[in-house]
Amino acid sequence: MRQQNLEIRHLFDQSGDRFSQFSLTAAGIFLDYSKNQLTEKTLSLLVDLAREQKVEPQRDAMFAGEKVNFTEQRPVLHTALRLPQHSTHNVDGINVSAEIDAVLGQMQTFVEQVHNGDWRGATGLLITDVVNIGIGGSDLGPKMVCEALRCYAHKGIQNHFVSNVDGHALDSVLSRVRPATTLFIISSKSFSTEDTMLNAHSARNWFLQHFSEENLSRHFVAVSSNRVAVEAFGIDAMNQFYFWDWVGGRYSLWSAIGLPIALALGFSHFRALLDGAHAMDVHFQQAPPEQNMPILLALIGIWNRDILGCRSLSIAAYHQDLRAFPNYLQQLDMESNGKQIDHQGRIVEAATGPIIWGDVGTNGQHAYFQHLHQSSEITPVDFIAALRPHHQLAEHHLVLLANCFAQSQALMRGKNAQEVAEEMSAQGLSSDDIARLAPHRRFTGNRPSNTILLDELSPAKLGALIALYEHKVAVQGFCWGINSFDQWGVELGKVLAKVIEADLRSGTPGSSHDSSTQGLIGKALSAGNMVDLSSC
Ligand code: F6P
């Protein structure tokens, strides 16, 4: 496939119907992909590529529970978490749906108890604050969903998220909550992530400054797939919410990792989130590649990355409540596809996962959009907006949507030299000024974008949107032949941190370090403040 240097604005001139030709709706999500450098022919070649790379059989193997996470020999079954209640889904002779239903039932009971006051703190006061302690997939998904769906929140519960090992994070939350009315959820698939465990121990120590050990069970619950480590931490068996090793961390918000979501919104809204994701799963499994939204989005991304050479993808959500969505997608996409080794252990020849970044519109317009419009780097953008807001400020919504649609139009159309000169001349500028300033006012245009519209940011539509991106990322991994479901790349830094922690504790930099690392350790030691953490 060669780059054809297509001008998107010319493609629009050639076909008055490009919008309906290059758009589709699935699971209540509308995707306009017409503002890409694509023709029918390009798309059909990309679909051929998906067929050659066996995307559909790999998708089916994933849904069927085959061990598609081949470096860890695990199935990848987050889609089973959102099957309708009472489904049957057998994996290795076990009906995983029955186990899933049991944990969802446990979550529902717990959420109802907290909401109706049957579950209270040790002194009999209602729970008013829920602090989720977790990081990565045990934080980003629940935090993003709680923020995105704040208009559906159960009144009376305040959510907090502590992820960073930086003590400022925990300290700031603890200064705002009261031990008698706070519930801590320790969320960690492995229950061994150092950041989370240190925060969990410090939270427990803080609690025990006010209450005794026997009161812990009213204030600490755990979500994990490691029962042994949870018990060792001292959390009651009754307070444990289990999930399975076939749920990857970044795909886990649908599992008990979603407990803070259910507590924030109520269980019926959590169920609606799962149902929305399931609707996208069904579409992904059933629609032919030419009309399959996750497959199309993935193929467009591959075209932009591998043919047009775009190194990053910017996410511009024109919805304030989606401000955490780019962060969430960073882990989903970059931890999944930030890899270069294929099934056979060879380096993939094509460029793989792009860098994901972004912010909400219109904020981004007044910060980095200059770069999107005029820099030498072409950055495709996914614009996301909801057609109906949850507020009554109609004028705000009108301006928001106008900006969203105008940005993709500007990126696509640009403004050529002649248009700039005509505009400046109409403004009465001299020909000298026009010659001097016109190059600065020119926009090359031809910059690709997708626009994703939800009728409103409801639990079901958000579920479908998240599932869309999950499947997009999986399809790209299938095409590149990489394993999107492991994350070996995060290990080395963790191991080296242990060595440096020991140096900081002992007060002497080990001699095995390079001079930079040794020098930095020396700086930290001479600044003092290294408390003895060995008891944690
Ligand atoms: O270090 C990366 C990672 O393993 C992520 O994949 C995961 O989401 C996060 O850490 C947290 O892991 P855990 O839930 O086991 O604490």
Side-chain angles (χ1 to χ4, degrees), residues 70 91 129 151 159 211 239 262 331 361 399 402 441 470 495 497 512:
F70 57 88
V91 177
D129 292 87
C151 292
N159 264 80
F211 287 99
N239 293 359
Q331 189 201 16
V399 171
R441 296 196 182 186
E470 283 181 347
V495 172
S512 61

Side-chain angles (χ1 to χ4, degrees), residues 135-138 188-191 193 249-250 331 335 487 490 494:
I135 197 163
S138 302
S188 174
K189 180 180 171 186
S190 59
F191 227 74
T193 302
R250 54 194 172 276
Q331 189 201 16
E335 197 167 77
Q487 57 282 321
V490 299
K494 288 186 191 174

Side-chain angles (χ1 to χ4, degrees), residues 77-244:
L77 269 179
H78 49 279
T79 50
L81 298 167
R82 51 221 194 192
L83 283 169
Q85 213 185 353
H86 308 308
S87 299
T88 302
H89 193 72
N90 286 312
V91 177
D92 288 341
I94 295 169
N95 179 13
V96 292
S97 287
E99 296 186 7
I100 293 165
D101 284 351
V103 175
L104 287 173
Q106 185 196 3
M107 288 168 68
Q108 179 168 8
T109 305
F110 180 67
V111 167
E112 286 168 2
Q113 284 175 340
V114 172
H115 286 183
N116 67 24
D118 285 349
W119 182 291
R120 289 171 185 250
T123 60
L125 290 175
L126 291 173
I127 297 295
T128 56
D129 292 87
V130 173
V131 180
N132 189 75
I133 295 182
I135 197 163
S138 302
D139 166 72
L140 291 164
K143 181 166 179 262
M144 180 273 288
V145 173
C146 286
E147 281 184 14
L149 299 177
R150 70 177 173 86
C151 292
Y152 294 81
H154 177 88
K155 303 282 175 280
I157 299 273
Q158 192 68 40
N159 264 80
H160 310 268
F161 289 86
V162 176
S163 51
N164 198 340
V165 76
D166 181 348
H168 295 106
L170 182 64
D171 189 55
S172 139
V173 170
L174 294 184
S175 68
R176 282 178 280 136
V177 297
R178 292 187 301 149
T181 55
T182 299
L183 176 79
F184 291 92
I185 306 176
I186 315 300
S187 290
S188 174
K189 180 180 171 186
S190 59
F191 227 74
S192 64
T193 302
E194 187 184 25
D195 324 54
T196 299
M197 297 326 296
L198 186 51
N199 277 323
H201 280 283
S202 298
R204 187 169 70 169
N205 291 343
W206 172 83
F207 181 81
L208 291 176
Q209 286 166 16
H210 307 271
F211 287 99
S212 58
E213 293 254 353
E214 55 272 22
N215 297 131
L216 279 169
S217 63
R218 305 307 292 170
H219 294 270
F220 280 77
V221 301
V223 179
S224 184
S225 58
N226 185 346
R227 291 186 207 273
V228 176
V230 174
E231 303 238 8
F233 183 86
I235 290 192
D236 265 21
M238 295 292 291
N239 293 359
Q240 296 178 18
F241 297 84
Y242 183 72
F243 69 107
W244 305 266

